[in-house]
PDB file of all heavy atoms in Angstrom:
ATOM      1  N   SER A 154      -1.734 110.641 -19.336  1.00 90.00           N
ATOM      2  CA  SER A 154      -2.518 111.859 -19.746  1.00 90.00           C
ATOM      3  C   SER A 154      -1.653 113.066 -19.481  1.00 90.00           C
ATOM      4  O   SER A 154      -0.682 112.898 -18.820  1.00 90.00           O
ATOM      5  CB  SER A 154      -3.769 111.901 -18.679  1.00 90.00           C
ATOM      6  OG  SER A 154      -3.365 111.915 -17.327  1.00 90.00           O
ATOM      7  N   ALA A 155      -2.030 114.148 -20.076  1.00 88.00           N
ATOM      8  CA  ALA A 155      -1.305 115.304 -20.060  1.00 88.00           C
ATOM      9  C   ALA A 155      -2.185 116.446 -20.365  1.00 88.00           C
ATOM     10  O   ALA A 155      -3.280 116.439 -20.906  1.00 88.00           O
ATOM     11  CB  ALA A 155      -0.108 115.336 -20.997  1.00 88.00           C
ATOM     12  N   VAL A 156      -1.697 117.667 -19.892  1.00 84.00           N
ATOM     13  CA  VAL A 156      -2.374 118.960 -20.331  1.00 84.00           C
ATOM     14  C   VAL A 156      -2.121 119.167 -21.861  1.00 84.00           C
ATOM     15  O   VAL A 156      -1.007 118.960 -22.359  1.00 84.00           O
ATOM     16  CB  VAL A 156      -1.995 120.183 -19.513  1.00 84.00           C
ATOM     17  CG1 VAL A 156      -2.492 121.523 -20.045  1.00 84.00           C
ATOM     18  CG2 VAL A 156      -2.367 119.871 -18.040  1.00 84.00           C
ATOM     19  N   ASN A 157      -2.974 119.515 -22.563  1.00 89.00           N
ATOM     20  CA  ASN A 157      -2.861 119.899 -24.074  1.00 89.00           C
ATOM     21  C   ASN A 157      -1.967 121.057 -24.104  1.00 89.00           C
ATOM     22  O   ASN A 157      -2.140 122.240 -23.757  1.00 89.00           O
ATOM     23  CB  ASN A 157      -4.225 120.219 -24.715  1.00 89.00           C
ATOM     24  CG  ASN A 157      -4.130 120.431 -26.294  1.00 89.00           C
ATOM     25  OD1 ASN A 157      -3.016 120.714 -26.799  1.00 89.00           O
ATOM     26  ND2 ASN A 157      -5.172 120.071 -26.997  1.00 89.00           N
ATOM     27  N   ALA A 158      -0.822 120.874 -24.682  1.00 90.00           N
ATOM     28  CA  ALA A 158       0.288 121.838 -24.781  1.00 90.00           C
ATOM     29  C   ALA A 158      -0.088 123.110 -25.712  1.00 90.00           C
ATOM     30  O   ALA A 158       0.525 124.010 -25.696  1.00 90.00           O
ATOM     31  CB  ALA A 158       1.551 121.237 -25.321  1.00 90.00           C
ATOM     32  N   GLN A 159      -1.162 122.915 -26.342  1.00 91.00           N
ATOM     33  CA  GLN A 159      -1.679 124.066 -27.190  1.00 91.00           C
ATOM     34  C   GLN A 159      -2.183 125.140 -26.262  1.00 91.00           C
ATOM     35  O   GLN A 159      -2.507 126.299 -26.700  1.00 91.00           O
ATOM     36  CB  GLN A 159      -2.750 123.709 -28.144  1.00 91.00           C
ATOM     37  CG  GLN A 159      -2.339 122.961 -29.384  1.00 91.00           C
ATOM     38  CD  GLN A 159      -3.523 122.653 -30.354  1.00 91.00           C
ATOM     39  OE1 GLN A 159      -4.658 122.697 -29.845  1.00 91.00           O
ATOM     40  NE2 GLN A 159      -3.287 122.328 -31.469  1.00 91.00           N
ATOM     41  N   LYS A 160      -2.302 124.939 -24.961  1.00 84.00           N
ATOM     42  CA  LYS A 160      -2.770 125.906 -23.922  1.00 84.00           C
ATOM     43  C   LYS A 160      -2.060 127.243 -24.175  1.00 84.00           C
ATOM     44  O   LYS A 160      -2.707 128.286 -23.782  1.00 84.00           O
ATOM     45  CB  LYS A 160      -2.731 125.397 -22.581  1.00 84.00           C
ATOM     46  CG  LYS A 160      -1.262 125.202 -22.084  1.00 84.00           C
ATOM     47  CD  LYS A 160      -1.131 124.804 -20.585  1.00 84.00           C
ATOM     48  CE  LYS A 160       0.276 124.830 -20.150  1.00 84.00           C
ATOM     49  NZ  LYS A 160       0.379 124.501 -18.703  1.00 84.00           N
ATOM     50  N   GLN A 161      -0.761 127.193 -24.514  1.00 83.00           N
ATOM     51  CA  GLN A 161      -0.047 128.426 -24.597  1.00 83.00           C
ATOM     52  C   GLN A 161      -0.581 129.381 -25.627  1.00 83.00           C
ATOM     53  O   GLN A 161      -0.278 130.690 -25.620  1.00 83.00           O
ATOM     54  CB  GLN A 161       1.370 128.124 -24.867  1.00 83.00           C
ATOM     55  CG  GLN A 161       1.607 127.450 -26.312  1.00 83.00           C
ATOM     56  CD  GLN A 161       2.911 126.753 -26.433  1.00 83.00           C
ATOM     57  OE1 GLN A 161       3.902 127.377 -26.326  1.00 83.00           O
ATOM     58  NE2 GLN A 161       2.903 125.373 -26.569  1.00 83.00           N
ATOM     59  N   TYR A 162      -1.342 128.902 -26.582  1.00 89.00           N
ATOM     60  CA  TYR A 162      -1.978 129.755 -27.575  1.00 89.00           C
ATOM     61  C   TYR A 162      -3.379 130.043 -27.296  1.00 89.00           C
ATOM     62  O   TYR A 162      -4.207 130.558 -28.148  1.00 89.00           O
ATOM     63  CB  TYR A 162      -1.835 129.073 -29.010  1.00 89.00           C
ATOM     64  CG  TYR A 162      -0.379 128.692 -29.411  1.00 89.00           C
ATOM     65  CD1 TYR A 162       0.130 127.404 -29.168  1.00 89.00           C
ATOM     66  CD2 TYR A 162       0.492 129.757 -29.775  1.00 89.00           C
ATOM     67  CE1 TYR A 162       1.414 127.172 -29.500  1.00 89.00           C
ATOM     68  CE2 TYR A 162       1.845 129.544 -29.984  1.00 89.00           C
ATOM     69  CZ  TYR A 162       2.205 128.336 -29.845  1.00 89.00           C
ATOM     70  OH  TYR A 162       3.589 128.004 -30.127  1.00 89.00           O
ATOM     71  N   GLY A 163      -3.868 129.807 -26.023  1.00 83.00           N
ATOM     72  CA  GLY A 163      -5.195 130.113 -25.611  1.00 83.00           C
ATOM     73  C   GLY A 163      -5.874 128.779 -25.042  1.00 83.00           C
ATOM     74  O   GLY A 163      -5.657 127.755 -25.422  1.00 83.00           O
ATOM     75  N   LEU A 164      -6.708 129.059 -23.943  1.00 75.00           N
ATOM     76  CA  LEU A 164      -7.258 127.950 -23.239  1.00 75.00           C
ATOM     77  C   LEU A 164      -8.666 127.487 -24.091  1.00 75.00           C
ATOM     78  O   LEU A 164      -9.149 126.352 -23.714  1.00 75.00           O
ATOM     79  CB  LEU A 164      -7.701 128.247 -21.738  1.00 75.00           C
ATOM     80  CG  LEU A 164      -6.433 128.187 -20.933  1.00 75.00           C
ATOM     81  CD1 LEU A 164      -6.848 128.516 -19.501  1.00 75.00           C
ATOM     82  CD2 LEU A 164      -5.747 126.833 -21.015  1.00 75.00           C
ATOM     83  N   ASP A 165      -9.158 128.241 -24.873  1.00 82.00           N
ATOM     84  CA  ASP A 165     -10.361 127.743 -25.618  1.00 82.00           C
ATOM     85  C   ASP A 165     -10.025 127.759 -27.112  1.00 82.00           C
ATOM     86  O   ASP A 165      -9.154 128.243 -27.634  1.00 82.00           O
ATOM     87  CB  ASP A 165     -11.512 128.665 -25.341  1.00 82.00           C
ATOM     88  CG  ASP A 165     -11.195 130.121 -25.732  1.00 82.00           C
ATOM     89  OD1 ASP A 165     -11.092 130.472 -26.829  1.00 82.00           O
ATOM     90  OD2 ASP A 165     -10.984 130.952 -24.578  1.00 82.00           O
ATOM     91  N   VAL A 166     -10.985 126.987 -27.744  1.00 88.00           N
ATOM     92  CA  VAL A 166     -10.652 126.797 -29.202  1.00 88.00           C
ATOM     93  C   VAL A 166     -10.697 128.139 -30.097  1.00 88.00           C
ATOM     94  O   VAL A 166      -9.913 128.400 -31.021  1.00 88.00           O
ATOM     95  CB  VAL A 166     -11.780 125.859 -29.904  1.00 88.00           C
ATOM     96  CG1 VAL A 166     -11.467 124.465 -29.198  1.00 88.00           C
ATOM     97  CG2 VAL A 166     -13.176 126.330 -29.736  1.00 88.00           C
ATOM     98  N   LEU A 167     -11.556 129.105 -29.667  1.00 87.00           N
ATOM     99  CA  LEU A 167     -11.596 130.356 -30.374  1.00 87.00           C
ATOM    100  C   LEU A 167     -10.277 131.092 -30.291  1.00 87.00           C
ATOM    101  O   LEU A 167     -10.010 131.814 -31.213  1.00 87.00           O
ATOM    102  CB  LEU A 167     -12.849 131.181 -29.824  1.00 87.00           C
ATOM    103  CG  LEU A 167     -14.150 130.592 -30.185  1.00 87.00           C
ATOM    104  CD1 LEU A 167     -15.297 131.507 -29.576  1.00 87.00           C
ATOM    105  CD2 LEU A 167     -14.344 130.459 -31.805  1.00 87.00           C
ATOM    106  N   SER A 168      -9.684 131.144 -29.157  1.00 88.00           N
ATOM    107  CA  SER A 168      -8.327 131.771 -29.095  1.00 88.00           C
ATOM    108  C   SER A 168      -7.295 131.128 -29.976  1.00 88.00           C
ATOM    109  O   SER A 168      -6.494 131.849 -30.673  1.00 88.00           O
ATOM    110  CB  SER A 168      -7.883 131.644 -27.665  1.00 88.00           C
ATOM    111  OG  SER A 168      -8.628 132.306 -26.704  1.00 88.00           O
ATOM    112  N   ARG A 169      -7.377 129.830 -30.198  1.00 93.00           N
ATOM    113  CA  ARG A 169      -6.445 129.055 -31.013  1.00 93.00           C
ATOM    114  C   ARG A 169      -6.864 129.417 -32.473  1.00 93.00           C
ATOM    115  O   ARG A 169      -5.922 129.469 -33.357  1.00 93.00           O
ATOM    116  CB  ARG A 169      -6.370 127.608 -30.681  1.00 93.00           C
ATOM    117  CG  ARG A 169      -5.828 127.474 -29.315  1.00 93.00           C
ATOM    118  CD  ARG A 169      -5.896 125.979 -28.774  1.00 93.00           C
ATOM    119  NE  ARG A 169      -5.893 125.783 -27.410  1.00 93.00           N
ATOM    120  CZ  ARG A 169      -6.003 124.734 -26.705  1.00 93.00           C
ATOM    121  NH1 ARG A 169      -6.183 123.453 -27.297  1.00 93.00           N
ATOM    122  NH2 ARG A 169      -5.962 124.728 -25.355  1.00 93.00           N
ATOM    123  N   ILE A 170      -8.114 129.402 -32.725  1.00 95.00           N
ATOM    124  CA  ILE A 170      -8.544 129.708 -34.126  1.00 95.00           C
ATOM    125  C   ILE A 170      -8.089 131.092 -34.478  1.00 95.00           C
ATOM    126  O   ILE A 170      -7.604 131.388 -35.539  1.00 95.00           O
ATOM    127  CB  ILE A 170     -10.139 129.614 -34.324  1.00 95.00           C
ATOM    128  CG1 ILE A 170     -10.361 128.070 -34.239  1.00 95.00           C
ATOM    129  CG2 ILE A 170     -10.472 130.128 -35.550  1.00 95.00           C
ATOM    130  CD1 ILE A 170     -11.873 127.789 -34.133  1.00 95.00           C
ATOM    131  N   SER A 171      -8.277 132.041 -33.452  1.00 93.00           N
ATOM    132  CA  SER A 171      -7.746 133.434 -33.762  1.00 93.00           C
ATOM    133  C   SER A 171      -6.182 133.518 -34.074  1.00 93.00           C
ATOM    134  O   SER A 171      -5.710 134.308 -34.881  1.00 93.00           O
ATOM    135  CB  SER A 171      -7.997 134.359 -32.577  1.00 93.00           C
ATOM    136  OG  SER A 171      -9.300 134.424 -32.393  1.00 93.00           O
ATOM    137  N   PHE A 172      -5.479 132.568 -33.337  1.00 93.00           N
ATOM    138  CA  PHE A 172      -4.054 132.555 -33.548  1.00 93.00           C
ATOM    139  C   PHE A 172      -3.798 132.116 -35.134  1.00 93.00           C
ATOM    140  O   PHE A 172      -2.884 132.676 -35.765  1.00 93.00           O
ATOM    141  CB  PHE A 172      -3.352 131.522 -32.673  1.00 93.00           C
ATOM    142  CG  PHE A 172      -1.962 131.285 -32.900  1.00 93.00           C
ATOM    143  CD1 PHE A 172      -1.127 132.323 -32.723  1.00 93.00           C
ATOM    144  CD2 PHE A 172      -1.422 130.160 -33.277  1.00 93.00           C
ATOM    145  CE1 PHE A 172       0.337 132.159 -32.820  1.00 93.00           C
ATOM    146  CE2 PHE A 172      -0.070 129.834 -33.484  1.00 93.00           C
ATOM    147  CZ  PHE A 172       0.759 130.911 -33.228  1.00 93.00           C
ATOM    148  N   GLU A 173      -4.570 131.169 -35.584  1.00 95.00           N
ATOM    149  CA  GLU A 173      -4.540 130.808 -37.012  1.00 95.00           C
ATOM    150  C   GLU A 173      -4.875 131.908 -37.933  1.00 95.00           C
ATOM    151  O   GLU A 173      -4.300 132.185 -38.956  1.00 95.00           O
ATOM    152  CB  GLU A 173      -5.277 129.620 -37.301  1.00 95.00           C
ATOM    153  CG  GLU A 173      -4.746 128.236 -36.665  1.00 95.00           C
ATOM    154  CD  GLU A 173      -5.406 127.095 -37.275  1.00 95.00           C
ATOM    155  OE1 GLU A 173      -6.402 127.219 -38.160  1.00 95.00           O
ATOM    156  OE2 GLU A 173      -4.980 125.986 -36.902  1.00 95.00           O
ATOM    157  N   THR A 174      -5.884 132.585 -37.600  1.00 94.00           N
ATOM    158  CA  THR A 174      -6.412 133.806 -38.462  1.00 94.00           C
ATOM    159  C   THR A 174      -5.314 134.858 -38.501  1.00 94.00           C
ATOM    160  O   THR A 174      -5.003 135.475 -39.551  1.00 94.00           O
ATOM    161  CB  THR A 174      -7.686 134.333 -37.837  1.00 94.00           C
ATOM    162  OG1 THR A 174      -8.667 133.335 -37.627  1.00 94.00           O
ATOM    163  CG2 THR A 174      -8.243 135.522 -38.571  1.00 94.00           C
ATOM    164  N   GLU A 175      -4.603 135.050 -37.404  1.00 93.00           N
ATOM    165  CA  GLU A 175      -3.660 136.194 -37.354  1.00 93.00           C
ATOM    166  C   GLU A 175      -2.348 135.826 -38.007  1.00 93.00           C
ATOM    167  O   GLU A 175      -1.668 136.617 -38.571  1.00 93.00           O
ATOM    168  CB  GLU A 175      -3.447 136.698 -35.939  1.00 93.00           C
ATOM    169  CG  GLU A 175      -4.625 137.346 -35.302  1.00 93.00           C
ATOM    170  CD  GLU A 175      -4.488 137.318 -33.717  1.00 93.00           C
ATOM    171  OE1 GLU A 175      -3.454 137.040 -33.161  1.00 93.00           O
ATOM    172  OE2 GLU A 175      -5.509 137.794 -33.101  1.00 93.00           O
ATOM    173  N   HIS A 176      -2.034 134.554 -37.969  1.00 93.00           N
ATOM    174  CA  HIS A 176      -0.557 134.097 -38.378  1.00 93.00           C
ATOM    175  C   HIS A 176      -0.691 133.160 -39.465  1.00 93.00           C
ATOM    176  O   HIS A 176       0.455 132.723 -39.943  1.00 93.00           O
ATOM    177  CB  HIS A 176       0.098 133.632 -37.186  1.00 93.00           C
ATOM    178  CG  HIS A 176       0.268 134.535 -36.017  1.00 93.00           C
ATOM    179  ND1 HIS A 176       1.205 135.522 -36.202  1.00 93.00           N
ATOM    180  CD2 HIS A 176      -0.398 134.655 -34.796  1.00 93.00           C
ATOM    181  CE1 HIS A 176       1.214 136.299 -35.002  1.00 93.00           C
ATOM    182  NE2 HIS A 176       0.155 135.706 -34.299  1.00 93.00           N
ATOM    183  N   GLY A 177      -1.725 132.754 -40.048  1.00 94.00           N
ATOM    184  CA  GLY A 177      -1.798 131.944 -41.252  1.00 94.00           C
ATOM    185  C   GLY A 177      -1.274 130.563 -41.300  1.00 94.00           C
ATOM    186  O   GLY A 177      -1.333 129.945 -40.136  1.00 94.00           O
ATOM    187  N   ASP A 178      -0.666 130.067 -42.399  1.00 95.00           N
ATOM    188  CA  ASP A 178      -0.288 128.679 -42.416  1.00 95.00           C
ATOM    189  C   ASP A 178       0.836 128.425 -41.364  1.00 95.00           C
ATOM    190  O   ASP A 178       0.987 127.150 -41.000  1.00 95.00           O
ATOM    191  CB  ASP A 178       0.171 128.457 -43.916  1.00 95.00           C
ATOM    192  CG  ASP A 178      -0.809 128.495 -44.811  1.00 95.00           C
ATOM    193  OD1 ASP A 178      -1.989 128.281 -44.548  1.00 95.00           O
ATOM    194  OD2 ASP A 178      -0.459 128.621 -46.148  1.00 95.00           O
ATOM    195  N   ASN A 179       1.673 129.333 -41.101  1.00 95.00           N
ATOM    196  CA  ASN A 179       2.628 129.058 -40.008  1.00 95.00           C
ATOM    197  C   ASN A 179       2.035 128.584 -38.664  1.00 95.00           C
ATOM    198  O   ASN A 179       2.542 127.762 -37.983  1.00 95.00           O
ATOM    199  CB  ASN A 179       3.556 130.353 -39.832  1.00 95.00           C
ATOM    200  CG  ASN A 179       4.683 130.090 -38.939  1.00 95.00           C
ATOM    201  OD1 ASN A 179       5.491 128.974 -39.020  1.00 95.00           O
ATOM    202  ND2 ASN A 179       4.916 131.023 -37.984  1.00 95.00           N
ATOM    203  N   ALA A 180       0.912 129.370 -38.299  1.00 95.00           N
ATOM    204  CA  ALA A 180       0.275 129.089 -37.111  1.00 95.00           C
ATOM    205  C   ALA A 180      -0.509 127.608 -37.112  1.00 95.00           C
ATOM    206  O   ALA A 180      -0.426 126.917 -36.156  1.00 95.00           O
ATOM    207  CB  ALA A 180      -0.905 130.046 -36.703  1.00 95.00           C
ATOM    208  N   VAL A 181      -0.954 127.223 -38.250  1.00 97.00           N
ATOM    209  CA  VAL A 181      -1.541 125.969 -38.539  1.00 97.00           C
ATOM    210  C   VAL A 181      -0.455 124.939 -38.357  1.00 97.00           C
ATOM    211  O   VAL A 181      -0.728 123.933 -37.599  1.00 97.00           O
ATOM    212  CB  VAL A 181      -2.103 125.766 -39.924  1.00 97.00           C
ATOM    213  CG1 VAL A 181      -2.538 124.313 -40.324  1.00 97.00           C
ATOM    214  CG2 VAL A 181      -3.158 126.725 -40.210  1.00 97.00           C
ATOM    215  N   HIS A 182       0.801 125.188 -38.784  1.00 97.00           N
ATOM    216  CA  HIS A 182       1.826 124.240 -38.620  1.00 97.00           C
ATOM    217  C   HIS A 182       2.236 124.100 -37.161  1.00 97.00           C
ATOM    218  O   HIS A 182       2.534 123.037 -36.636  1.00 97.00           O
ATOM    219  CB  HIS A 182       2.989 124.608 -39.436  1.00 97.00           C
ATOM    220  CG  HIS A 182       4.304 123.844 -39.214  1.00 97.00           C
ATOM    221  ND1 HIS A 182       4.419 122.540 -39.653  1.00 97.00           N
ATOM    222  CD2 HIS A 182       5.515 124.189 -38.553  1.00 97.00           C
ATOM    223  CE1 HIS A 182       5.605 122.148 -39.239  1.00 97.00           C
ATOM    224  NE2 HIS A 182       6.217 123.068 -38.607  1.00 97.00           N
ATOM    225  N   ILE A 183       2.324 125.302 -36.445  1.00 96.00           N
ATOM    226  CA  ILE A 183       2.786 125.308 -35.189  1.00 96.00           C
ATOM    227  C   ILE A 183       1.771 124.503 -34.256  1.00 96.00           C
ATOM    228  O   ILE A 183       2.075 123.695 -33.470  1.00 96.00           O
ATOM    229  CB  ILE A 183       2.876 126.868 -34.731  1.00 96.00           C
ATOM    230  CG1 ILE A 183       4.079 127.513 -35.199  1.00 96.00           C
ATOM    231  CG2 ILE A 183       3.044 126.789 -33.075  1.00 96.00           C
ATOM    232  CD1 ILE A 183       4.205 128.947 -34.982  1.00 96.00           C
ATOM    233  N   LEU A 184       0.542 124.834 -34.393  1.00 97.00           N
ATOM    234  CA  LEU A 184      -0.421 124.103 -33.526  1.00 97.00           C
ATOM    235  C   LEU A 184      -0.474 122.583 -33.842  1.00 97.00           C
ATOM    236  O   LEU A 184      -0.674 121.937 -32.865  1.00 97.00           O
ATOM    237  CB  LEU A 184      -1.797 124.684 -33.856  1.00 97.00           C
ATOM    238  CG  LEU A 184      -2.035 126.167 -33.268  1.00 97.00           C
ATOM    239  CD1 LEU A 184      -3.419 126.707 -33.834  1.00 97.00           C
ATOM    240  CD2 LEU A 184      -2.044 126.244 -31.738  1.00 97.00           C
ATOM    241  N   GLN A 185      -0.340 122.249 -35.092  1.00 97.00           N
ATOM    242  CA  GLN A 185      -0.225 120.804 -35.389  1.00 97.00           C
ATOM    243  C   GLN A 185       0.963 120.183 -34.692  1.00 97.00           C
ATOM    244  O   GLN A 185       0.906 119.160 -34.098  1.00 97.00           O
ATOM    245  CB  GLN A 185      -0.275 120.584 -36.821  1.00 97.00           C
ATOM    246  CG  GLN A 185      -0.127 119.062 -37.206  1.00 97.00           C
ATOM    247  CD  GLN A 185       0.190 118.779 -38.668  1.00 97.00           C
ATOM    248  OE1 GLN A 185       0.852 119.486 -39.354  1.00 97.00           O
ATOM    249  NE2 GLN A 185      -0.398 117.677 -39.171  1.00 97.00           N
ATOM    250  N   LYS A 186       2.055 120.739 -34.810  1.00 96.00           N
ATOM    251  CA  LYS A 186       3.371 120.173 -34.291  1.00 96.00           C
ATOM    252  C   LYS A 186       3.245 119.993 -32.681  1.00 96.00           C
ATOM    253  O   LYS A 186       3.671 119.101 -32.093  1.00 96.00           O
ATOM    254  CB  LYS A 186       4.604 121.065 -34.607  1.00 96.00           C
ATOM    255  CG  LYS A 186       5.855 120.443 -34.164  1.00 96.00           C
ATOM    256  CD  LYS A 186       7.113 121.236 -34.616  1.00 96.00           C
ATOM    257  CE  LYS A 186       8.345 120.478 -34.327  1.00 96.00           C
ATOM    258  NZ  LYS A 186       8.490 120.238 -32.885  1.00 96.00           N
ATOM    259  N   VAL A 187       2.761 121.095 -32.053  1.00 95.00           N
ATOM    260  CA  VAL A 187       2.595 121.129 -30.645  1.00 95.00           C
ATOM    261  C   VAL A 187       1.690 119.973 -30.222  1.00 95.00           C
ATOM    262  O   VAL A 187       1.985 119.237 -29.231  1.00 95.00           O
ATOM    263  CB  VAL A 187       2.031 122.417 -30.101  1.00 95.00           C
ATOM    264  CG1 VAL A 187       1.625 122.271 -28.665  1.00 95.00           C
ATOM    265  CG2 VAL A 187       3.030 123.515 -30.157  1.00 95.00           C
ATOM    266  N   LEU A 188       0.658 119.733 -30.922  1.00 97.00           N
ATOM    267  CA  LEU A 188      -0.284 118.600 -30.564  1.00 97.00           C
ATOM    268  C   LEU A 188       0.333 117.277 -31.013  1.00 97.00           C
ATOM    269  O   LEU A 188       0.173 116.254 -30.105  1.00 97.00           O
ATOM    270  CB  LEU A 188      -1.701 118.809 -31.304  1.00 97.00           C
ATOM    271  CG  LEU A 188      -2.806 118.098 -30.896  1.00 97.00           C
ATOM    272  CD1 LEU A 188      -3.091 117.981 -29.339  1.00 97.00           C
ATOM    273  CD2 LEU A 188      -4.053 118.458 -31.609  1.00 97.00           C
ATOM    274  N   VAL A 189       0.870 117.150 -32.047  1.00 97.00           N
ATOM    275  CA  VAL A 189       1.436 115.829 -32.443  1.00 97.00           C
ATOM    276  C   VAL A 189       2.643 115.536 -31.455  1.00 97.00           C
ATOM    277  O   VAL A 189       2.777 114.376 -31.101  1.00 97.00           O
ATOM    278  CB  VAL A 189       2.023 115.924 -33.930  1.00 97.00           C
ATOM    279  CG1 VAL A 189       3.069 114.763 -34.213  1.00 97.00           C
ATOM    280  CG2 VAL A 189       0.755 116.076 -34.802  1.00 97.00           C
ATOM    281  N   ASP A 190       3.404 116.434 -31.083  1.00 95.00           N
ATOM    282  CA  ASP A 190       4.437 116.279 -30.196  1.00 95.00           C
ATOM    283  C   ASP A 190       3.863 115.732 -28.762  1.00 95.00           C
ATOM    284  O   ASP A 190       4.489 114.867 -28.267  1.00 95.00           O
ATOM    285  CB  ASP A 190       5.321 117.433 -29.888  1.00 95.00           C
ATOM    286  CG  ASP A 190       6.294 117.738 -31.140  1.00 95.00           C
ATOM    287  OD1 ASP A 190       6.457 116.829 -32.086  1.00 95.00           O
ATOM    288  OD2 ASP A 190       6.854 118.955 -31.191  1.00 95.00           O
ATOM    289  N   SER A 191       2.917 116.391 -28.448  1.00 94.00           N
ATOM    290  CA  SER A 191       2.178 115.984 -27.105  1.00 94.00           C
ATOM    291  C   SER A 191       1.764 114.423 -27.232  1.00 94.00           C
ATOM    292  O   SER A 191       1.961 113.656 -26.220  1.00 94.00           O
ATOM    293  CB  SER A 191       1.044 116.831 -26.637  1.00 94.00           C
ATOM    294  OG  SER A 191       1.329 118.203 -26.414  1.00 94.00           O
ATOM    295  N   CYS A 192       1.067 114.141 -28.248  1.00 96.00           N
ATOM    296  CA  CYS A 192       0.638 112.754 -28.473  1.00 96.00           C
ATOM    297  C   CYS A 192       1.692 111.808 -28.638  1.00 96.00           C
ATOM    298  O   CYS A 192       1.760 110.666 -28.061  1.00 96.00           O
ATOM    299  CB  CYS A 192      -0.416 112.721 -29.748  1.00 96.00           C
ATOM    300  SG  CYS A 192      -1.947 113.550 -29.576  1.00 96.00           S
TER     301      CYS A 192
END
Side-chain angles (χ1 to χ4, degrees):
S154 57
V156 173
N157 187 332
Q159 286 185 342
K160 67 175 186 176
Q161 62 197 298
Y162 301 102
L164 283 184
D165 55 71
V166 294
L167 290 179
S168 296
R169 297 175 200 175
I170 291 170
S171 294
F172 178 65
E173 287 194 358
T174 302
E175 293 166 8
H176 299 284
D178 290 343
N179 187 47
V181 174
H182 172 73
I183 289 170
L184 290 172
Q185 181 188 31
K186 186 178 186 306
V187 166
L188 190 50
V189 167
D190 287 350
S191 291
C192 290

